[in-house]
Amino acid sequence: MNKVLNKIIIGGTSASFKSLLCMQIDNHPDVNVIHRHDKILQIFIKPFANFSLFKEKYLKQQNEINYTIIKKNKLKKLIFKNNKKKIFFSPILLRKLLIDHTGYYVNEQYAWQKKIGSDVSSLSSSSKKFDFEFYKYDKYIFNKIFNSKITNFSPEFLYDIFLESFIYSQNKKLKKNILFMAPNNYESIDFLMKEKFNIKVIYLLRNSENIVLSRAIRQIVNEENITDKRLVQKKINKKIENILYANFYKSVLSQEKKIFQLEKINKKKLKIVKSEDFIYKNPKTIKDITQWLGIKNHKSLKDLYYEGSKMDKKKYLDKINDDDFIIDNSIKNFFYIQKHGIKNFIFNCKNKSLKVLIFLIKQFIYKNFK
């Protein structure tokens, strides 16, 4: 590997249709698409975000093990560009990080089953094929790192080994570009920018209220195994209320604000695309995306593919399953409170509900007279 790979990263929150965008680019002649979201980036983000905590949890333990079985000159050095941190790591440390923070070994399970679950739709439980040689993948990665003459790795150089190995283990040829999904958080995109990866990031930004709605639907379907839309609707508002109490919506709003700020200073590397435009205005949005990425607007982009197999486009595009569900007006008040604050709600909101006002009074009494 003489140079870093040209990487296209699909970022966004949960339920922002990253999987669908991967499917639309799947059959492009100049792009390898990795549909499996295994969160390998997390092993670099953890020490980058909080090195002292990482050092305490991992490096002390590693020192006790490494120097009894491995000579120090056999250890590899991971060097971060942004904060100049250095980590000496061994096969033991790398495997520990993969177990703790990624879905690396889930690939082994899916490879054995030869199929993988699908999260393309909130109400979908279908599976897709997964032709993958896990042990070939694993051997390639560890040989490339620990049996090479290279002593210093950047996070990008190391990550490229994982990506190259993934394509190699599916018996495919490496194309000009490789596309994959980033974890569902702002920190991963921020890390990629600070470490100056050779990347272009498409960040799918969905309406914040619909992210919560989709989360509620997924929880009802997954936890209670309910798929009938009428029964799901009956439980939606209570589930959303619980999610809002947990401040999930506030974290979504915070991430949205941060990603806009990040785009301002990384115009050439980061492009925000509205998820709703991707679904409802698909041809125009795909054209805009390909022009920005610098890849040709190939005829394959008119359809959806998964590992080269054509998918039913009507099933996924032009309509969002969540559109079939209604959020109660009183629940919308809770959205308003978390977005604009209680004072703004009391004095400015024109559509207050009695249910929410009672809740606020109870909160006030509990906080001040308990």
Side-chain angles (χ1 to χ4, degrees), residues 207-216 236-237 239-245 247-250 252-253 326-342 344-345 349 351 353 356 359:
N207 176 283
S208 55
E209 291 185 14
N210 287 99
I211 292 173
V212 178
L213 172 61
S214 179
R215 188 180 183 90
I236 275 180
N237 293 307
K239 183 65 73 172
I240 289 177
E241 193 174 322
N242 292 338
I243 291 171
L244 290 175
Y245 287 159
N247 285 334
F248 171 75
Y249 185 57
K250 280 188 177 180
V252 170
L253 293 175
I326 299 169
I327 301 175
D328 187 80
N329 284 332
S330 66
I331 299 300
K332 289 185 177 181
N333 287 167
F334 284 104
F335 280 111
Y336 189 98
I337 290 169
Q338 293 207 1
K339 192 169 187 176
H340 302 289
I342 292 175
N344 194 295
F345 171 77
C349 184
N351 300 304
S353 69
V356 177
F359 169 76

Side-chain angles (χ1 to χ4, degrees), residues 198-243:
N198 179 35
I199 55 165
K200 288 246 180 168
V201 178
I202 298 295
Y203 191 92
L204 290 171
L205 186 67
R206 194 172 179 195
N207 176 283
S208 55
E209 291 185 14
N210 287 99
I211 292 173
V212 178
L213 172 61
S214 179
R215 188 180 183 90
I217 294 169
R218 287 172 190 264
Q219 286 184 6
I220 293 167
V221 172
N222 295 334
E223 293 170 10
E224 303 180 43
N225 199 28
I226 297 172
T227 55
D228 185 293
K229 289 188 176 182
R230 291 169 299 176
L231 297 177
V232 172
Q233 178 63 62
K234 287 181 179 180
K235 291 177 171 286
I236 275 180
N237 293 307
K238 183 62 180 175
K239 183 65 73 172
I240 289 177
E241 193 174 322
N242 292 338
I243 291 171

Side-chain angles (χ1 to χ4, degrees), residues 64-223:
E64 294 171 5
I65 299 171
N66 284 339
Y67 299 125
T68 60
I69 59 174
I70 303 172
K71 292 180 181 179
K72 189 173 181 179
N73 61 7
K74 292 288 186 180
L75 298 177
K76 303 297 181 176
K77 189 187 296 181
L78 179 64
I79 304 175
F80 291 87
K81 296 175 187 175
N82 183 260
N83 56 20
K84 298 181 180 179
K85 292 287 188 297
K86 299 177 183 178
I87 300 170
F88 284 98
F89 69 108
S90 67
I92 296 167
L93 175 60
L94 181 55
R95 289 202 184 276
K96 174 68 173 168
L97 290 171
L98 290 170
I99 291 169
D100 286 357
H101 301 296
T102 76
Y104 180 84
Y105 289 101
V106 179
N107 286 329
E108 182 179 17
Q109 174 188 332
Y110 288 140
W112 179 72
Q113 294 174 335
K114 294 192 177 296
K115 64 180 181 179
I116 188 170
S118 174
D119 287 331
V120 170
S121 167
S122 297
L123 297 178
S124 171
S125 57
S126 60
S127 297
K128 290 185 171 61
K129 69 177 182 179
F130 189 59
D131 292 329
F132 186 78
E133 296 182 41
F134 176 79
Y135 298 108
K136 184 177 180 180
Y137 171 63
D138 186 75
K139 183 178 180 181
Y140 183 97
I141 290 169
F142 282 81
N143 278 340
K144 194 82 174 180
I145 299 169
F146 297 105
N147 291 332
S148 70
K149 294 180 180 179
I150 303 170
T151 56
N152 298 335
F153 290 88
S154 68
E156 180 172 22
F157 193 26
L158 189 59
Y159 192 54
D160 281 2
I161 292 174
F162 282 89
L163 296 174
E164 187 181 64
S165 179
F166 201 102
I167 300 303
Y168 171 69
S169 300
Q170 290 185 311
N171 299 310
K172 297 177 181 178
K173 290 183 178 179
L174 205 60
K175 298 179 182 179
K176 293 179 182 178
N177 307 281
I178 186 164
L179 179 147
F180 55 97
M181 289 179 279
N184 299 331
N185 55 47
Y186 162 81
E187 288 74 21
S188 61
I189 308 300
D190 184 48
F191 170 79
L192 294 168
M193 298 301 164
K194 286 178 177 175
E195 278 297 293
K196 297 179 172 59
F197 272 44
N198 179 35
I199 55 165
K200 288 246 180 168
V201 178
I202 298 295
Y203 191 92
L204 290 171
L205 186 67
R206 194 172 179 195
N207 176 283
S208 55
E209 291 185 14
N210 287 99
I211 292 173
V212 178
L213 172 61
S214 179
R215 188 180 183 90
I217 294 169
R218 287 172 190 264
Q219 286 184 6
I220 293 167
V221 172
N222 295 334
E223 293 170 10

